[in-house]
Amino acid sequence: WSAATPRGTLPDFRWTRRSLMSFAGVSVVDSAKHCTCDTSAVYAGADSGYHLLMVRDYSRTKVQLPTGESATTGLFTVGEYDWYIEYYPNGENPNCRDFVSLYVTRHTLYDCEGEEDVEAKFSFSLVDQLEKHKPVYIHGTNKTCTFSSSAPSWGSDRFVRRDALERSAHLKGDCLTIRCDIMVVCKDHKIEDAAGTVPDINQHFGHLLQNKVGADVTFEVGGETFAAHRCVLAARSKVFMAQLFGPMKEGATTSSVIQIKDMEAKVFRALLSFIYTDSLPAMEKDSMEEDEMSEVMDEGREEAAEFEMWLQWLEDLFVAADRYDLQLLKLICEKQLSEHISVSSVTSTLALAEKHHCCGLKEACLKFIQVQSPSCLQTVMATSGWDHIAVTYPWVVKEFIAKLASNQRK
């Protein structure tokens, strides 16, 4: 996944479908000081394109490039502008030292005054050999970023956790490939004025949710009310279909309020947003909680606390997606949870996966525990979360022991 953020800012998590892009070359990094770039396939005039960054000998780049140091690709051209990618295997700053950081930078001539700003959207994604030139679902941004002389770089300081990357299928033979998509927003102001930004169907439905025109059902969740459209909900969710039109129908008039318990308002709001727009919105932040947190915490601890809040929100959204049979949303949440497993969260994530019959997430948790050092393993097993698993899902503990025994025999 990738989020459009200036340096040092927490990402804004969104999902979007990649549109067709022109190929804008490939760069190969095989050490901290050696990077080659082949841009022979660039379609010079295209307003959108993608560049592939191939990292060979990933382990060596991790050793050679400490936190704050990057390998930089050669220049490639998209939308008549030159760009390059910065790859930080140990994070761009100490607050994200456990992550790979990625930034895309617009190349400018430093002695050139009055150079125009460039408006562009971009995204990063991990791909394998078969996916390199395919349109796929990616974690990116719908936000248009301004690349200026004062802020030429945008990217993600927490693109992917290193431990998650090293367990994933994306790292093969100590090599990985990163795809960077860039779309330069209409440079010709005449075209922009004439055509404007053409909204797609997801934007239209998003506006429908916001303006509530024609809404015919109301939900009350966590003390807040939400107006929605029965047909939209039913078309997207079999559970809503049954609840609103089938045997589970509430039976009241269209003005009735349907109570939803055991769910926070911000989670239901995100669920509705996904139903209408097919994209995962950023997590809401409680302004009062944020102010209180910033008063008592330094920057590093505040970021860690925000990350824990995001993780809890994602787990709750995963539960909601399962509850309403939204398989794509559940899959997106599963992928994000799998990539952000840590010693402190693995037991709660494992219990969540078992409770909701999510085999992929369960397997990711068990693999994470398997590769931990003895001291970390003791830390995991000393938690109340592990005790909960042992009591509630004893067969999971047996599976884990069997995996450990199998590894020892190998």
Side-chain angles (χ1 to χ4, degrees):
W1 53 271
S2 167
T5 61
R7 296 181 189 274
T9 307
L10 281 177
D12 175 20
F13 296 94
R14 295 177 184 270
W15 280 75
T16 182
R17 192 188 298 269
R18 178 184 286 144
S19 59
L20 293 177
M21 298 278 181
S22 299
F23 180 48
V26 58
S27 293
V28 179
V29 174
D30 56 14
S31 71
K33 298 181 179 179
H34 186 215
C35 179
T36 60
C37 183
D38 175 11
T39 57
S40 59
V42 173
Y43 171 46
D47 285 338
S48 61
Y50 68 94
H51 188 79
L52 298 177
L53 168 59
M54 301 181 69
V55 180
R56 293 177 180 167
D57 204 351
Y58 160 80
S59 299
R60 183 163 64 162
T61 65
K62 190 170 64 170
V63 172
Q64 291 181 338
L65 293 167
T67 299
E69 294 189 19
S70 67
T72 303
T73 69
L75 296 178
F76 59 93
T77 304
V78 175
E80 300 179 2
Y81 299 98
D82 291 332
W83 310 83
Y84 62 88
I85 300 167
E86 295 172 86
Y87 158 71
Y88 295 83
N90 289 291
E92 189 265 342
N93 64 72
N95 290 328
C96 54
R97 64 171 61 93
D98 295 328
F99 294 79
V100 172
S101 301
L102 291 173
Y103 289 88
V104 61
T105 302
R106 176 200 166 201
H107 178 67
T108 58
L109 300 174
Y110 292 101
D111 58 352
C112 181
E113 296 183 0
E115 197 162 9
E116 67 175 346
D117 295 347
V118 177
E119 303 287 327
K121 299 181 180 183
F122 74 94
S123 63
F124 292 113
S125 57
L126 287 168
V127 295
D128 62 28
Q129 296 294 325
L130 296 176
E131 292 175 327
K132 284 180 184 176
H133 306 289
K134 277 187 178 180
V136 295
Y137 267 104
I138 56 172
H139 183 211
T141 178
N142 292 320
K143 179 181 177 182
T144 299
C145 306
T146 301
F147 291 82
S148 63
S149 56
S150 59
S153 298
W154 287 77
S156 173
D157 59 355
R158 299 186 178 198
F159 173 65
V160 63
R161 286 188 66 97
R162 275 197 315 281
D163 53 5
L165 171 63
E166 290 163 9
R167 295 193 310 272
S168 75
H170 294 295
L171 186 64
K172 297 177 180 177
D174 209 31
C175 300
L176 69 143
T177 301
I178 298 162
R179 174 170 164 163
C180 175
D181 288 69
I182 300 174
M183 183 177 71
V184 176
V185 176
C186 193
K187 303 183 298 300
D188 189 331
H189 294 291
K190 292 181 181 179
I191 296 176
E192 187 175 15
D193 292 340
T197 302
V198 180
D200 60 18
I201 189 170
N202 295 337
Q203 288 177 295
H204 285 303
F205 274 89
H207 293 322
L208 187 66
L209 175 64
Q210 291 173 3
N211 61 37
K212 303 178 179 61
V213 173
D216 56 3
V217 64
T218 302
F219 296 90
E220 183 175 326
V221 189
E224 295 186 35
T225 57
F226 299 87
H229 305 78
R230 292 171 182 260
C231 288
V232 176
L233 302 181
R236 298 280 281 160
S237 164
K238 293 178 182 178
V239 176
F240 274 125
M241 175 66 84
Q243 183 180 21
L244 299 172
F245 294 102
M248 294 170 58
K249 186 176 180 181
E250 295 293 324
T253 66
T254 55
S255 61
S256 66
V257 176
I258 298 175
Q259 305 279 342
I260 295 182
K261 300 178 180 179
D262 303 322
M263 188 182 299
E264 291 187 12
K266 62 183 179 182
V267 174
F268 188 73
R269 185 177 288 107
L271 183 82
L272 279 183
S273 179
F274 181 84
I275 286 173
Y276 278 75
T277 67
D278 212 31
S279 64
L280 185 64
M283 182 191 74
E284 296 176 26
K285 294 179 182 178
D286 187 302
S287 57
M288 291 182 62
E289 287 183 8
E290 193 173 5
D291 291 341
E292 291 173 2
M293 193 164 54
S294 61
E295 288 177 5
V296 298
M297 294 184 179
D298 57 34
E299 185 177 350
R301 291 174 59 202
E302 184 177 346
E303 283 198 10
E306 285 192 26
F307 182 74
E308 290 299 320
M309 288 171 59
W310 171 78
L311 205 59
Q312 182 60 56
W313 172 80
L314 194 65
E315 289 184 354
D316 293 342
L317 193 56
F318 172 86
V319 173
D322 186 56
R323 177 174 175 176
Y324 288 99
D325 194 25
L326 295 167
Q327 292 304 312
L328 178 57
L329 178 58
K330 186 178 177 182
L331 181 64
I332 292 171
C333 293
E334 176 190 347
K335 184 175 186 296
Q336 287 294 304
L337 290 169
S338 297
E339 293 176 354
H340 293 84
I341 299 170
S342 65
V343 171
S344 60
S345 68
V346 65
T347 54
S348 64
T349 304
L350 178 56
L352 192 72
E354 186 63 23
K355 181 177 180 180
H356 295 276
H357 312 290
C358 189
C359 297
L361 184 57
K362 174 183 175 180
E363 188 64 23
C365 290
L366 292 177
K367 284 184 178 179
F368 176 86
I369 300 173
Q370 281 179 261
V371 300
Q372 297 307 304
S373 65
S375 60
C376 285
L377 194 56
Q378 286 182 347
T379 301
V380 170
M381 292 185 171
T383 63
S384 58
W386 185 259
D387 292 339
H388 170 71
I389 290 172
V391 172
T392 311
Y393 311 110
W395 55 89
V396 174
V397 178
K398 292 180 180 179
E399 286 180 47
F400 174 63
I401 293 172
K403 286 181 179 291
L404 283 181
S406 176
N407 285 349
Q408 289 178 351
R409 285 195 295 270
K410 292 178 183 178

